[in-house]
Amino acid sequence: VALKPAKKVDSTCPYCGVGCQLTFNVADDQILSVDGKAGPANLNRLCVKGRFGFDYARHPERLTQPLVRRDDAPKRADDADRIDPANPLTHFRIASWEEALERAAGGLRTIRDRDGGGALAGFGSAKGSNEEAYLFQKLVRTGFGTNNVDHCTRLCHASSVAALIEGIGSGAVTAPVQAVLDAEVALVIGANPAVNHPVAATFIKQAVRQRGLKLIVADPRGQALDRFASHSLRIKGGSDVALLSGMLCTIVEEGLVDEDYVRQHVDGHEAFAESVRQFTPEAMAPLCGIPAETIREVARLFAKSRASIVFWGMGISQHVHGTDNSRCLIALCLLTGQVGRAGTGLHPLRGQNNVQGASDAGLIPMVFPDYQRVDGGARALFEEAWGQSLDATPGLTVVEIMHAMEEGRIKGLYVMGENPAMSDPDLAHARAALAKLEHLVVQDIFLTETAAYADVVLPASAFPEKTGTFTNTDRRIQLGRQAIDPPGEARQDLWLVEELAIRLGLPWQHRTPAAVFGEMAGLMPSLAGINWDRLERDGSVTYPLDPLTGEGQAVIFGDAFPTPSGRGRVVPVSLVPPDEPPDGEYPLLLTTGRVLEHWHTGAMTRRAGALDALEPEPFVALSPKELDRLGLPRGGMVEVSTRRGSIRLQARPDRDVAPGNLFIPFCFREAAANLLTNPALDPYGKIPEFKLCAARVSVP
Ligand code: SF4
């Protein structure tokens, strides 16, 4: 008998940063269906993940009881492969909450008291709420005594944020997605919104169809937005600086700089202009694969338009030159005055639904909440608020923490909702590092590949099982509301963080998400004027509020930037080649990314029935010509190898992939793409070069 919905609960989609609002139709403690809600970011629209991606919450593999590692199950580097998430009792035993929490905290306490806080680290998650992120980083800084706390922003937009803070004093977007409806020109570069931000893509298409938007798409891979583009630039992998520098050179040489705007708002422009003169379109054309005249044409289009906006994604940020890529985009907008007005701006498309909020809340090793440096004057403010002295040394980032684990400098790790055994580059190294830990506590909803290495596994709550705030890519703070209960003995993440804090000697008391948000608002200037009652009432509030009207400001930095001088800065860039270009041994270029149906490492969407049915198997996409040239079977099994490892998966012909390139989604645990990827880091954002490495393909 089909159940009828007994209640409707308004909430927010847990997947991408678009932040679509939705309504759960619930009966018998189950989500029966989902409707799109008229939220400001989605106007009733949902993509396939938001519509069909929630039955993971009742999947039989959900963790429902605390687990501790059995004494006869030593950790090994291949635990991610040898432990079946459906049958964890081969390596774990069920424990009471009291035993699990005491073991979890006791191991961390022992290391802290013996080796100091620097021997501990914590990975929070951009899937969690703002309140969870805030309490998690507070626990690491106060209970562990270290700033070694980070999350997946390090693997997605760390280089963008480094460049944005340097250039305009803020890592957040200057304008929302829907600003594209007011734009005359949009540049979408290193992003595939139709797959990764599908509802955002619908607004870009709408702007083309209804408002005459000129759309420039620049990416090595073809994509659905190409059909809407006035210019579809299939650039060579890793050549973003070449393309953008050619555009910037054109703008400088042809007098397209907005001199009035630059005089009033921009520093460093003279040195920058001098530095880009060498990057003529003719010199850049062979590097990026785009004709010089086309580079000039799109530069003129962008600079001369009434309003131009830039959207970018991981194709810009995940490079050893990721920060330089973003510096170019910032320069493009600042030199042409395309920021701070309707239809203009800089918009790094955020990946996870709360990567903006988790970063704002301080899940970053070098800054407290609201990007206040741990080695600056703000420390005294946090010491007073949190009632103890704090470490003044910036902590280690995600990949640095993995190195420190392998070297034995970090001995204990607490992971809330992250999955570094799938998401880090060079997974063999990352997994070996996890296996070396003296003590690993993992808090999650499934026995993830990372939880396979844990000493203690704490069963946590899925997104529809808890209430909290989430900040989308537009800087909108939105409420996610509890619709169903956690299964079995699984608990709320906020409760778990607080239980560990208490056992680490902190005088914390259990508080509601509303109370935690109140504490955050008192310490974060960006939240000035925003309170829980308003969030309950409006469901969505954009920060910062206008101090005069009290309304959220969608487009910011019209008058000044939040830098000490109030001015932006353009910074010269270099042409840096990929860290690992193809060669005779590994002649192909491998890039990784996502597919529409699956989210990141697949822990949730691979367990959502409809989504997994749509895209059930790992594959490598190659151009049909490349498949034929290499004599590979279409649809057959192939082996892809790099200097770090090999995986076997299906070969899929795909005309969107350029000859000489390979594309592999990173969501499939059976053929984990990150066993192959290169851990080389951008020197500023410390982000790995996921987007390019040398590879070869063969028939196994
Ligand atoms: Fe969810 Fe993003 Fe899809 Fe919206 S576009 S429904 S936020 S995954």
Side-chain angles (χ1 to χ4, degrees):
V1 178
L3 289 171
K4 285 193 177 152
K7 65 174 178 179
K8 291 177 177 286
V9 180
D10 292 338
S11 193
T12 309
C13 177
Y15 292 111
C16 85
V18 175
C20 298
Q21 291 194 4
L22 46 76
T23 301
F24 292 123
N25 298 309
V26 180
D28 202 17
D29 208 27
Q30 289 187 58
I31 295 169
L32 302 183
S33 62
V34 176
D35 296 321
K37 189 172 177 289
N42 62 313
L43 310 182
N44 294 102
R45 306 169 196 192
L46 291 178
C47 80
V48 68
K49 290 188 287 288
R51 184 78 64 188
F52 298 113
F54 291 96
D55 50 334
Y56 75 89
R58 289 293 179 259
H59 192 277
E61 288 177 9
R62 272 298 296 274
L63 294 167
T64 57
Q65 291 170 299
L67 300 173
V68 298
R69 198 170 196 89
R70 284 171 31 171
D71 293 339
D72 59 351
K75 284 187 245 185
R76 292 190 349 209
D78 61 353
D79 273 1
D81 297 322
R82 75 192 180 108
I83 301 180
D84 179 0
N87 188 21
L89 297 186
T90 56
H91 291 74
F92 296 90
R93 63 177 174 79
I94 294 167
S96 68
W97 268 116
E98 190 51 38
E99 182 193 3
L101 289 166
E102 191 42 47
R103 272 200 180 221
L108 297 168
R109 215 169 38 223
T110 299
I111 295 168
R112 179 195 66 187
D113 295 346
R114 186 191 63 212
D115 303 314
L120 294 174
F123 289 160
S125 173
K127 291 199 291 280
S129 68
N130 290 327
E131 296 73 32
E132 290 162 359
Y134 173 82
L135 276 196
F136 188 91
Q137 61 86 36
K138 181 177 170 183
L139 168 65
V140 173
R141 298 189 204 280
T142 58
F144 293 11
T146 176
N147 291 309
N148 293 336
V149 60
D150 208 355
H151 76 296
C152 60
T153 191
R154 191 68 42 208
L155 307 178
C156 60
H157 265 307
S159 52
S160 309
V161 170
L164 285 164
I165 288 182
E166 170 192 80
I168 62 172
S170 164
V173 301
T174 70
V177 167
Q178 287 175 54
V180 74
L181 295 168
D182 298 320
E184 198 171 289
V185 172
L187 168 62
V188 175
I189 182 166
N192 187 350
V195 164
N196 299 319
H197 303 83
V199 168
T202 67
F203 290 108
I204 297 172
K205 293 177 198 171
Q206 184 182 341
V208 173
R209 283 196 307 258
Q210 297 177 358
R211 310 276 177 107
L213 176 81
K214 293 270 191 306
L215 176 63
I216 305 162
V217 176
D219 200 276
R221 264 200 313 148
Q223 57 177 280
L225 281 185
D226 286 337
R227 292 201 300 278
F228 297 78
S230 62
H231 295 78
S232 173
L233 312 180
R234 298 284 291 272
I235 61 173
K236 293 182 181 176
S239 69
D240 313 85
V241 170
L243 171 72
L244 296 166
S245 295
M247 291 173 66
L248 286 158
C249 176
T250 303
I251 287 165
V252 168
E253 279 192 337
E254 298 189 6
L256 300 175
V257 172
D258 183 336
E259 299 290 352
D260 283 347
Y261 182 84
V262 166
R263 198 174 309 112
Q264 287 178 48
H265 296 291
V266 184
D267 286 334
H269 55 282
E270 284 169 0
F272 185 89
E274 207 44 50
S275 74
V276 292
R277 284 186 192 281
Q278 59 182 312
F279 302 130
T280 63
E282 286 70 23
M284 297 300 102
L287 301 180
C288 66
I290 304 299
E293 194 43 43
T294 306
I295 298 175
R296 289 189 194 284
E297 198 175 306
V298 293
R300 291 173 195 137
L301 194 62
F302 188 93
K304 290 181 180 176
S305 95
R306 171 184 52 77
S308 295
I309 188 166
V310 183
F311 297 98
W312 74 96
M314 312 290 97
I316 282 290
S317 59
Q318 290 177 335
H319 289 283
V320 287
H321 48 83
T323 303
D324 271 357
N325 285 348
S326 291
R327 283 173 175 152
C328 287
L329 296 172
I330 293 162
L332 203 55
C333 286
L334 290 188
L335 292 186
T336 57
Q338 300 285 15
V339 70
R341 295 179 285 111
T344 67
L346 290 153
H347 192 120
L349 285 157
R350 305 293 168 165
Q352 305 239 22
N353 76 330
N354 199 35
V355 73
Q356 180 67 59
S359 302
D360 294 346
L363 273 185
I364 298 183
M366 53 293 281
V367 291
F368 294 122
D370 251 356
Y371 310 96
Q372 303 174 78
R373 289 201 62 89
V374 297
D375 49 0
R379 195 173 62 259
L381 171 78
F382 286 92
E383 287 179 336
E384 188 184 345
W386 294 344
Q388 67 178 79
S389 64
L390 298 168
D391 185 5
T393 311
L396 300 177
T397 60
V398 165
V399 177
E400 291 172 331
I401 287 170
M402 300 309 271
H403 286 307
M405 282 158 42
E406 183 160 48
E407 292 160 11
R409 288 183 286 124
I410 287 185
K411 300 180 172 71
L413 179 69
Y414 174 28
V415 179
M416 178 180 74
E418 288 272 270
N419 194 6
M422 276 292 283
S423 61
D424 269 35
D426 190 7
L427 279 186
H429 172 268
R431 291 174 176 185
L434 286 164
K436 281 185 87 171
L437 280 170
E438 179 182 323
H439 189 62
L440 172 62
V441 179
V442 175
Q443 177 175 320
D444 215 313
I445 61 173
F446 294 109
L447 194 88
T448 60
E449 292 72 23
T450 302
Y453 295 89
D455 296 277
V456 183
V457 181
L458 306 175
S461 43
F463 181 86
E465 297 161 2
K466 56 192 175 185
T467 293
T469 62
F470 298 81
T471 307
N472 83 343
T473 190
D474 295 337
R475 293 179 271 103
R476 294 184 208 279
I477 304 169
Q478 310 197 101
L479 268 182
R481 293 185 178 88
Q482 182 173 358
I484 54 177
D485 289 326
E489 295 179 35
R491 296 293 171 91
Q492 302 269 336
D493 291 83
L494 220 51
W495 183 85
L496 291 167
V497 175
E498 291 189 307
E499 281 294 316
L500 287 182
I502 291 164
R503 284 169 172 77
L504 285 165
L506 297 171
W508 289 15
Q509 293 176 336
H510 290 294
R511 286 170 300 166
T512 61
V516 178
F517 186 85
E519 179 177 323
M520 293 168 62
L523 289 164
M524 296 173 62
S526 66
L527 301 182
I530 301 175
N531 59 41
W532 195 267
D533 288 345
R534 181 165 177 183
L535 288 164
E536 285 272 18
R537 189 190 71 211
D538 298 348
S540 175
V541 179
T542 298
Y543 79 81
L545 297 184
D546 183 316
L548 296 177
T549 65
E551 295 302 313
Q553 300 180 71
V555 177
I556 49 178
F557 308 150
D559 298 327
F561 295 103
T563 57
S565 65
R567 295 166 65 84
R569 166 168 291 279
V570 284
V571 179
V573 299
S574 312
L575 285 174
V576 177
D579 181 72
E580 193 184 72
D583 56 19
E585 201 181 350
Y586 295 96
L588 301 169
L589 255 187
L590 168 66
T591 188
T592 63
R594 288 168 279 178
V595 292
L596 171 65
E597 295 79 6
H598 290 307
W599 191 245
H600 284 214
T601 64
M604 296 189 293
T605 53
R606 293 294 309 282
R607 293 173 172 102
L611 300 179
D612 201 46
L614 286 167
E615 195 61 274
E617 285 173 6
F619 66 88
V620 52
L622 300 88
S623 85
K625 279 186 192 154
E626 191 72 51
L627 275 169
D628 293 343
R629 189 181 72 78
L630 295 170
L632 299 173
R634 295 185 181 210
M637 289 299 286
V638 295
E639 184 168 273
V640 179
S641 307
T642 68
R643 289 186 171 82
R644 291 155 292 281
S646 299
I647 56 174
R648 291 183 179 187
L649 64 183
Q650 191 189 64
R652 181 182 288 184
D654 186 342
R655 286 194 182 81
D656 284 335
V657 179
N661 288 19
L662 307 172
F663 170 76
I664 302 179
F666 64 86
C667 58
F668 296 102
R669 74 189 301 266
E670 315 88 295
N674 283 325
L675 285 164
L676 308 177
T677 48
N678 185 357
L681 299 181
D682 170 278
Y684 307 99
K686 308 280 179 79
I687 191 169
E689 188 155 67
F690 285 110
K691 284 298 175 196
L692 288 180
C693 68
R696 65 170 176 244
V697 192
S698 58
V699 178

